Amino acid sequence: MKDEILKTLLLLRDEIQTHLVMSKQERAHIFEAISHAAQHQNQGAADTLVSPYGNQITRKKPLKSHIFFMNYASISLAMCLVIAGSISFAAEKALPGDPLYVVKTNFNENIQSLLTFSSQSKARLEAQLAERRLVEAQKLAVSNNLSAEAEAQIQVNLKKHTDEFTKNINEVKDKENPAAAASLSADFRSRLMAHQNVLDSLENEGTISASNFITEKIASIDSMRKDAEAELALLSPSEVRKAATSKLIDAEEAIRTLQVSIDRPNSISENVRAEVDAHIVVAQGKIAQGVVFDNEEKYIDAYISFQEALLSVQEAERTIATLLNLDVGTDTKDQVIRSVVNRDIPVTTAASAAATSTDQATTTEETIEGE
Amino acid sequence: MSVPSQHTQLERAYDEYADALFRFCSLKVRSREKAVDIVQDTFVKTLQYLKGGSEIQNIKSFLYKTAHNLIIDHYRKKTAQSLDEMADEGFDIASDGHEGLPLLSVDAEKALKAIQSLDDTYKDILIMRFVDDLSPKEISELTGLTENVVSVRIFRGLDKLRVILKIKT
């Protein structure tokens, strides 16, 4: 029978397609190599390409002849590169006001964004850079060095990063990936929230203005996330379920990270330990509720529950991490942590607006503004 | 084509075809390590081609063709081992314990062995058609044969497989 041979071949194809796949690392390595090649204009870039297994894969010219013909020009060029490298390295720790700060923001970080390929990773990078600006503001505020000028500089950069973030998120959404757009916005939100909590506690004029600026940004990011989630809610149940499952994994991972971080010595004081633990229990309750929704095939509700658990835990974890790197008193730390963990988990998803009645959607809006 | 749109084109192609190209290469070079290298080289070469200002009409065909050429280069470099020798060894996917190569079920393994035992004329085309899921048109672009020749070889190749696997027609 003709069918029989085709059936066997289909079986072979399916088995090979399932089993013979690249590992995540292999994929990531290749992607990096492509990004690397993308940054080099000349064909010669391939000479230095390193294979995922550490072998050189393209060798066009023998190396030895170069060494003999290395002249003064190339030696001085090499020295310049070494010096430029050390400057760029030293600049990584610069704060606004330092002469090297310009190198950090205009050179180092621009290179980083040049090396970033997809809209998703670009959005992620912009979120990280925005976070860096906030850490800088905090460090300056703690040492009482946050001048109006430095503050303005930080805000300009912060605006630049959030604008870039918005642009890239819109691209992610246009690529019909609302789940990724929602996750990235949610992630950025919890980063901003964490820093805002800390900035508020520092009660410095500069930090108040920065904090107000963040409030504005959080509102705009939230509205982006709501758009993305509303789009997500329109997808097929299996797609929504997939998004919910990955949220569940993220939320559980976030809980683990938080637990590990508070178990470390010198992490948080014993005064707030019980409150943080209670916060984790609330988040676990949210997750359990989400699992029930998932069993009832209410995938969008499950997504919302997991998202809420994730947001609340991530915010706490990031706030604690930020505080750890900051030279402030235990009382201030306790106070900030308390304010985070005792806040009610907000109902912040627009997906809920799509899933529930309009009344509830209005309440959702109010909750966000009330924060 | 502008640089960003080149990147998106290649990026999308990477998402879509990297795994398929990896399978294509693995089945030919019999080494996971080498297959990954070739996949990487394929994309880098394609990128360089795009950067040179050239446009690619069909990215899938282009990638396969590049990989195909790189595989040939790979064999040429192995001067110590003749091509015939390599072909004679066959490709024993299940039993040679190649790192990273999968264990297949009995039926699938039999089918693969049967394909491997065919002449190169049929073997390559059957693998492209039934394992890599390429259309006869794509195979014809890749191999330089006409679509008709490809279809005839698929048909005859299937007949030969039936004989080997003792499937009655």
Side-chain angles (χ1 to χ4, degrees):
Chain A
M1 281 291 287
K2 193 178 178 178
D3 279 344
E4 204 170 321
I5 187 93
L6 289 179
K7 233 174 18 195
T8 318
L9 288 170
L10 274 179
L11 172 83
L12 172 66
R13 186 199 65 188
D14 289 345
E15 284 191 19
I16 288 190
Q17 288 193 355
T18 358
H19 298 304
L20 198 57
V21 287
M22 281 190 282
S23 71
K24 262 190 180 166
Q25 286 99 321
E26 283 165 342
R27 278 188 80 100
H29 270 301
I30 297 183
F31 198 81
E32 251 170 51
I34 303 170
S35 313
H36 173 85
Q39 306 312 315
H40 290 77
Q41 288 302 318
N42 55 344
Q43 296 276 320
D47 287 346
T48 53
L49 208 63
V50 175
S51 98
Y53 296 93
N55 315 321
Q56 287 223 334
I57 49 176
T58 319
R59 294 179 203 87
K60 283 185 180 161
K61 302 161 202 155
L63 189 67
K64 55 177 183 193
S65 60
H66 290 274
I67 294 166
F68 289 113
F69 293 107
M70 203 167 165
N71 52 22
Y72 289 117
S74 50
I75 292 172
S76 48
L77 178 70
M79 281 178 70
C80 286
L81 284 177
V82 170
I83 295 169
S86 357
I87 292 178
S88 139
F89 180 74
E92 275 299 291
K93 285 189 175 167
L95 293 174
D98 286 354
L100 285 181
Y101 185 69
V102 184
V103 178
K104 175 182 177 183
T105 53
N106 289 342
F107 182 76
N108 292 8
E109 292 177 356
N110 275 352
I111 296 243
Q112 242 176 310
S113 59
L114 270 179
L115 287 171
T116 321
F117 225 44
S118 68
S119 326
Q120 277 193 48
S121 31
K122 273 194 181 136
R124 206 171 293 127
L125 177 71
E126 291 301 335
Q128 283 163 4
L129 292 180
E131 196 178 10
R132 275 182 106 176
R133 298 294 87 85
L134 294 169
V135 171
E136 287 160 6
Q138 284 153 8
K139 281 193 175 151
L140 288 173
V142 168
S143 59
N144 274 327
N145 280 328
L146 187 61
S147 64
E149 203 184 315
E151 210 271 318
Q153 202 178 0
I154 287 176
Q155 261 192 37
V156 168
N157 281 322
L158 196 55
K159 185 172 178 321
K160 192 179 87 188
H161 297 314
T162 41
D163 288 350
E164 277 296 308
F165 178 84
T166 314
K167 201 182 95 192
N168 284 303
I169 285 294
N170 284 330
E171 275 173 26
V172 175
K173 231 174 24 182
D174 289 346
K175 279 184 190 161
E176 288 167 7
N177 199 345
S183 289
L184 284 164
S185 315
D187 181 73
F188 194 23
R189 178 187 200 273
S190 77
R191 281 174 201 271
L192 288 177
M193 291 289 289
H195 288 285
Q196 190 182 32
N197 297 328
V198 178
L199 281 170
D200 282 346
S201 73
L202 297 174
E203 286 176 355
N204 178 302
E205 242 175 71
T207 59
I208 292 170
S209 128
S211 169
N212 289 337
F213 182 76
I214 298 177
T215 310
E216 239 174 73
K217 288 297 154 201
I218 288 178
S220 85
I221 288 162
D222 262 335
S223 84
M224 267 183 350
R225 180 167 55 95
K226 282 195 263 167
D227 287 349
E229 283 172 353
E231 269 180 46
L232 178 72
L234 297 176
L235 295 180
S236 68
S238 71
E239 291 278 327
V240 179
R241 184 165 196 206
K242 222 167 93 188
T245 312
S246 86
K247 271 284 137 207
L248 168 65
I249 295 168
D250 290 349
E252 285 180 334
E253 182 61 39
I255 290 181
R256 262 196 300 278
T257 316
L258 178 58
Q259 278 167 336
V260 169
S261 96
I262 57 173
D263 280 343
R264 254 182 236 130
N266 308 325
S267 164
I268 55 169
S269 75
E270 284 306 309
N271 309 333
V272 290
R273 177 70 202 236
E275 283 161 271
V276 176
D277 283 340
H279 185 66
I280 293 178
V281 172
V282 174
Q284 281 165 336
K286 276 276 168 200
I287 290 181
Q289 195 188 342
V291 173
V292 173
F293 282 137
D294 185 80
N295 288 337
E296 291 167 356
E297 296 182 6
K298 292 178 186 162
Y299 301 127
I300 195 75
D301 292 308
Y303 177 90
I304 295 164
S305 302
F306 298 144
Q307 172 81 290
E308 284 170 3
L310 174 66
L311 278 178
S312 68
V313 173
Q314 233 172 23
E315 188 189 333
E317 196 268 316
R318 287 186 170 147
T319 308
I320 292 171
T322 312
L323 287 171
L324 265 185
N325 290 321
L326 221 54
D327 190 17
V328 289
T330 319
D331 286 349
T332 320
K333 283 186 184 173
D334 288 356
Q335 191 198 332
V336 177
I337 294 170
R338 268 202 192 104
S339 76
V340 177
V341 296
N342 290 335
R343 196 184 299 144
D344 285 337
I345 293 183
V347 182
T348 47
T349 43
S352 62
T356 54
S357 71
T358 357
D359 280 341
Q360 271 171 310
T362 331
T363 338
T364 313
E365 297 285 338
E366 280 160 9
T367 325
I368 293 164
E369 272 157 26
E371 272 173 22
Chain B
M1 201 186 293
S2 69
V3 173
S5 73
Q6 281 175 7
H7 286 185
T8 359
Q9 190 189 10
L10 197 70
E11 206 181 309
R12 216 172 288 150
Y14 181 74
D15 283 343
E16 223 167 309
Y17 305 123
D19 273 325
L21 280 169
F22 170 69
R23 282 193 292 275
F24 178 75
C25 298
S26 304
L27 288 172
K28 287 200 171 245
V29 297
R30 310 175 60 210
S31 144
R32 183 183 188 95
E33 194 174 313
K34 199 63 216 169
V36 173
D37 280 356
I38 290 177
V39 174
Q40 175 172 321
D41 232 5
T42 302
F43 279 97
V44 170
K45 284 217 166 9
T46 309
L47 179 83
Q48 282 165 352
Y49 181 81
L50 283 169
K51 273 168 125 186
S54 321
E55 283 200 28
I56 295 173
Q57 294 299 329
N58 184 342
I59 187 104
K60 186 179 175 191
S61 294
F62 189 92
L63 288 169
Y64 272 99
K65 206 164 187 171
T66 312
H68 186 72
N69 291 341
L70 286 168
I71 290 166
I72 294 172
D73 284 353
H74 164 72
Y75 281 125
R76 280 199 189 125
K77 274 185 205 155
K78 289 191 147 191
T79 39
Q81 222 173 347
S82 80
L83 259 172
D84 292 336
E85 215 178 300
M86 312 262 322
D88 289 345
E89 281 170 19
F91 179 41
D92 199 354
I93 198 168
S95 64
D96 66 1
H98 243 312
E99 32 108 28
L101 287 178
L103 283 168
L104 299 174
S105 67
V106 182
D107 283 349
E109 196 196 319
K110 258 191 212 160
L112 185 65
K113 279 192 170 160
I115 296 180
Q116 300 284 359
S117 71
L118 294 174
D119 282 355
D120 278 354
T121 336
Y122 300 110
K123 182 171 77 183
D124 286 352
I125 286 178
L126 285 182
I127 288 183
M128 285 183 215
R129 179 73 193 95
F130 294 103
V131 181
D132 302 321
D133 245 352
L134 296 174
S135 70
K137 186 163 181 278
E138 284 163 337
I139 299 175
S140 91
E141 279 168 20
L142 233 161
T143 52
L145 301 167
T146 66
E147 229 179 300
N148 247 336
V149 172
V150 172
S151 302
V152 169
R153 286 196 187 166
I154 291 172
F155 185 78
R156 290 194 187 145
L158 282 179
D159 268 349
K160 285 176 191 290
L161 274 190
R162 279 189 205 108
V163 174
I164 297 171
L165 295 171
K166 299 191 180 77
I167 294 171
K168 283 168 208 137
T169 40

